[in-house]
Amino acid sequence: MRYWLPWLLLLFAGCGVFELHPYEVRGGEQHVNARALEKLPRDRGDGSFRFAVMGDIGVFLKEANDAMKDVATRDVDFVIQVGDLTEFSSAQEYGRVASLLNDAPVPALAVIGNHDLLGTGRQLFHHHFGAADLVFDYGGSRFVLFDSNSREFGYPGNVPDLDLLRAELRSPPRGGHLFTFSHVPPWHSDFDPSLKEPFEHLQAERNVVVSFHGHVHRFGSDVREGVRYFITDALELRNYLVVTVAGASVRIEQVFY
Amino acid sequence: MTRSGLMAGLLLVWLLMGLPARAESRASDAPWYVPDHASLQFAGSIGMLAAGPGWAFLDEQVDVQLLLGWAPRSVAGADFVTLTLKAQWHPFHIARGDWSIRPLTVGAAFSYTFGDRYFLTLPDRYESGYYWFKTALRPALLLGGSVGHAMPELGVPLLEGYYELVATDYRIVQFVQNPLTVNTGLFSLALGARLRF
């Protein structure tokens, strides 16, 4: 073997031409969620802003690409995708979706879905997006993203982690709204049934204004203990939610593209 | 990972046992289970390095290989040990002097990944049909070619270098779903060397 051959192979390996294993964890865009937060415009302070909530991507990559283009025309400040970025948790899908969100016209963050947890999925999510639990404040409101894929972990009793949520669901900094985001809605059988009521109570007690979810692939909404719940269509159906916050008012519309 | 380690050891012994046996006995008088060739492969979605014995059929037009692959945590982010069964067909064979060229190779592979976090049958926490695929088993289609050179001075009738484009099942699904979407990589690349005894 020539002495340069290993170096050449290493170079190629770095370029992504080579795949060592379908679930390998290396390369691609990293810390996408944290970078999206860095890109967020400076806090506006007047409590008026818009954001988008997108549903499951899975194998609907073309529709996801189109959605990311469409979002540029909607005057929204950022996007939150509510899980199932991938179908197989493969390294290739993760890499591609990470660059899709990273290159989106507005800052885009992702929540973890059950399909994103297969094999090395949890590690892949951590590598490309960061921690599955994330809290940030914007425009005087608070946004809490968390993992509610209880079935993937065999219902261990701490997915979602209510202790952590209890600490995170504090009053928004400047009297704005509290929004929560996770993949599986609490009344679904993939959500730990023993945590359903405590979770819904907690959300109500902390005055969560809207709780956003995906997983079901079909739009739905509900009010439970005074908290509004929305489930997004999968992106296959070419629509997503746009949330307009203007002081005390929160308006949610489904926009098609 | 001890079970995978054991598998690796067994395969290596098997491979090493096959090498001298075939060299002494030459072509057809060896029993069927003695390998006709051995391969060492880089990448191709079955490990960083994969090695194992192979058997040729139908005048070396068809090859079947069993490869044990490994990718280390330091490079691949996690330790991966896979066992791959490959079947390949070389419809053309051009021989010129010491050179042997197989310009087209088409094939299929099944790759099994060892480890608790991959499943072959759905774990109890799922209802049947919850996931339609098996995370431990990846079928793939292969497309490639090889160039070989006789090396009798090394005691090897033929040393081949090959390349392979590997389309794993999920890459095919994504590609079929999104044919016009740029950036949907259908293939990953593998490079390898094969000794035909």
Side-chain angles (χ1 to χ4, degrees):
Chain A
M1 222 181 243
R2 308 269 171 116
Y3 71 93
W4 45 262
L5 196 56
W7 296 109
L8 193 68
L9 290 181
L10 209 64
L11 185 72
F12 272 122
C15 295
V17 177
F18 291 108
E19 184 176 76
L20 307 183
H21 190 277
Y23 306 126
E24 66 184 2
V25 185
R26 68 188 178 104
E29 301 294 345
Q30 291 176 40
H31 317 296
V32 171
N33 280 356
R35 281 159 71 181
L37 292 182
E38 279 168 23
K39 284 185 272 183
L40 266 184
R42 282 271 149 234
D43 216 343
R44 313 225 259 203
D46 62 352
S48 298
F49 56 91
R50 279 152 71 88
F51 64 94
V53 183
M54 287 186 186
D56 302 39
I57 294 177
V59 292
F60 317 120
L61 188 72
K62 187 184 178 305
E63 291 79 3
N65 280 1
D66 292 348
M68 289 303 176
K69 280 182 206 136
D70 185 78
V71 83
T73 68
R74 305 279 181 186
D75 187 31
V76 300
D77 295 355
F78 60 93
V79 174
I80 296 180
Q81 193 279 347
V82 286
D84 277 3
L85 300 146
T86 70
E87 177 76 5
F88 307 95
S89 280
S90 71
Q92 185 221 17
E93 292 172 283
Y94 253 113
R96 221 173 31 213
V97 171
S99 57
L100 174 71
L101 267 64
N102 196 56
D103 302 340
V106 298
L109 296 100
V111 167
I112 195 164
N114 58 302
H115 278 263
D116 309 322
L117 280 161
L118 297 167
T120 57
R122 203 177 182 190
Q123 226 181 315
L124 279 161
F125 189 88
H126 204 268
H127 175 77
H128 290 291
F129 293 95
D133 286 280
L134 179 69
V135 186
F136 68 97
D137 295 327
Y138 184 76
S141 289
R142 170 160 292 144
F143 299 79
V144 178
L145 284 57
F146 63 96
D147 182 349
S148 66
N149 306 291
S150 324
R151 188 189 290 274
E152 286 307 313
F153 300 89
Y155 304 106
N158 60 356
V159 178
D161 187 338
L162 294 195
D163 293 335
L164 188 66
L165 278 175
R166 200 164 282 121
E168 291 172 345
L169 293 176
R170 283 167 287 122
S171 300
R174 288 198 307 276
H177 308 277
L178 196 49
F179 298 101
T180 54
F181 304 81
S182 82
H183 184 60
V184 179
W187 58 88
H188 195 280
S189 62
D190 293 339
F191 191 103
D192 193 331
S194 71
L195 298 180
K196 173 184 169 286
E197 278 189 21
F199 171 75
E200 290 182 356
H201 283 321
L202 178 65
Q203 296 236 98
E205 179 194 306
R206 300 300 166 97
N207 298 315
V208 170
V209 166
V210 192
S211 187
F212 294 97
H213 308 274
H215 193 51
V216 187
H217 285 215
R218 292 294 174 269
F219 176 84
S221 69
D222 202 357
V223 178
R224 307 171 80 85
E225 299 190 38
V227 177
R228 280 193 285 172
Y229 287 81
F230 278 88
I231 297 178
T232 60
D233 269 334
L235 286 180
E236 162 194 32
L237 297 165
R238 302 188 68 87
N239 72 82
Y240 57 91
L241 306 178
V242 170
V243 184
T244 307
V245 179
S249 123
V250 177
R251 198 178 80 231
I252 294 156
E253 57 186 320
Q254 209 179 1
V255 299
F256 288 78
Y257 58 94
Chain B
M1 278 291 155
T2 47
R3 196 176 50 164
S4 337
L6 185 67
M7 287 293 300
L10 283 175
L11 255 172
L12 193 66
V13 169
W14 185 19
L15 181 60
L16 291 176
M17 274 166 47
L19 278 168
R22 196 65 190 179
E24 286 161 21
S25 60
R26 309 294 306 169
S28 55
D29 50 345
W32 64 269
Y33 51 82
V34 177
D36 303 290
H37 54 264
S39 306
L40 178 67
Q41 179 176 310
F42 173 78
S45 304
I46 61 168
M48 184 173 81
L49 288 173
W55 296 264
F57 303 95
L58 302 174
D59 202 16
E60 297 197 343
Q61 269 198 65
V62 173
D63 285 326
V64 174
Q65 289 156 50
L66 198 59
L67 302 173
L68 191 74
W70 166 74
R73 179 180 300 264
S74 56
V75 184
D79 287 300
F80 296 105
V81 179
T82 63
L83 189 63
T84 302
L85 182 68
K86 243 196 230 185
Q88 289 168 304
W89 177 47
H90 323 281
F92 311 108
H93 184 195
I94 303 162
R96 289 272 181 285
D98 283 348
W99 293 91
S100 163
I101 301 168
R102 296 168 211 266
L104 177 68
T105 293
V106 291
F110 283 94
S111 180
Y112 176 80
T113 303
F114 293 92
D116 296 340
R117 49 181 170 180
Y118 317 103
F119 60 80
L120 199 54
T121 50
L122 273 176
D124 294 341
R125 60 181 180 273
Y126 304 111
E127 299 139 31
S128 77
Y130 192 88
Y131 290 118
W132 58 272
F133 48 87
K134 304 169 191 320
T135 55
L137 191 70
R138 297 259 82 120
L141 295 178
L142 314 170
L143 196 65
S146 67
V147 176
H149 193 259
M151 302 224 160
E153 66 275 16
L154 295 175
V156 196
L158 194 66
L159 174 64
E160 285 179 322
Y162 67 87
Y163 80 95
E164 210 163 76
L165 298 170
V166 183
T168 36
D169 56 344
Y170 61 89
R171 283 179 183 253
I172 296 170
V173 168
Q174 288 281 6
F175 187 80
V176 169
Q177 276 281 336
N178 309 283
L180 299 176
T181 307
V182 285
N183 209 5
T184 305
L186 178 57
F187 295 110
S188 74
L189 180 64
L191 295 176
R194 184 174 298 138
L195 288 173
R196 288 188 188 269
F197 325 131

